Amino acid sequence: MKEDSLKIVQKDIDEALEMVESMEKNLSQQSFSKETVKEKFVFLSQKLQELESILKSEGIL
């Protein structure tokens, strides 16, 4: 895997994990609106699509 691609993948993974941790914390406090939950899931979906694209271009998937 190219060094640049590896850095991008790591950044995307870190962002996705931060989002999941934030959602978990806020959901346990029941402070999310439906719109906020939707926005966060859309963000996660986009990150996963970006990761999939990079992994496919590197021949991993």
Side-chain angles (χ1 to χ4, degrees):
M1 182 178 265
K2 297 176 187 172
E3 188 67 30
D4 290 338
S5 295
L6 183 59
K7 288 179 183 178
I8 292 169
V9 168
Q10 185 62 51
K11 181 180 175 271
D12 287 345
I13 290 171
D14 290 343
E15 287 178 356
L17 288 173
E18 286 176 22
M19 180 64 64
V20 169
E21 289 170 356
S22 170
M23 289 176 70
E24 182 180 45
K25 179 181 177 185
N26 288 324
L27 284 172
S28 68
Q29 297 172 354
Q30 299 179 353
S31 61
F32 266 145
S33 69
K34 287 182 181 182
E35 187 62 33
T36 302
V37 171
K38 180 181 175 181
E39 289 172 9
K40 292 186 182 285
F41 275 112
V42 168
F43 172 84
L44 287 173
S45 176
Q46 291 170 341
K47 286 296 172 186
L48 288 174
Q49 289 173 356
E50 291 171 15
L51 287 169
E52 181 181 19
S53 176
I54 292 169
L55 293 174
K56 281 182 179 179
S57 71
E58 293 295 328
I60 295 172
L61 289 179

